[in-house]
Amino acid sequence: VCDTYDPLHVAASTGKLDYVKSFISTWKFPPDAPSSSSLRMTPLMMSLMGGHNETSSFLLSNGASLTSADAIGRLPLHFA
């Protein structure tokens, strides 16, 4: 994992639902924040890309958007 991803992005990309819940609920990480990498992917995109359905559902139910595009115009559904 590149150092330009915050802990929420790493947890989402690896399907660590307990960590994702903690980062959003306790630490108030925004569920739809783009990464600081050049691709600007959201946690939802990273979760979907890894096939982590439970994590993706949690992100969606906590404010992640299906219409947020990354730096090259891809939407979360491109990763589903």
Side-chain angles (χ1 to χ4, degrees), residues 2 4-5 34-41 71:
C2 183
T4 56
Y5 293 104
S35 68
S36 55
S37 75
S38 61
L39 287 178
R40 310 286 295 155
M41 293 175 70

Side-chain angles (χ1 to χ4, degrees), residues 6-70:
D6 68 36
L8 176 58
H9 288 83
V10 174
S13 71
T14 57
K16 305 290 187 198
L17 182 56
D18 289 341
Y19 287 102
V20 170
K21 286 179 178 179
S22 178
F23 292 134
I24 291 174
S25 302
T26 304
W27 297 100
K28 307 300 181 201
F29 279 65
D32 214 30
S35 68
S36 55
S37 75
S38 61
L39 287 178
R40 310 286 295 155
M41 293 175 70
T42 65
L44 178 59
M45 290 173 181
M46 298 181 82
S47 178
L48 288 168
M49 188 167 53
H52 307 296
N53 297 333
E54 263 188 279
T55 303
S56 299
S57 292
F58 177 81
L59 288 165
L60 283 167
S61 67
N62 282 275
S65 172
L66 287 173
T67 59
S68 294
D70 67 7

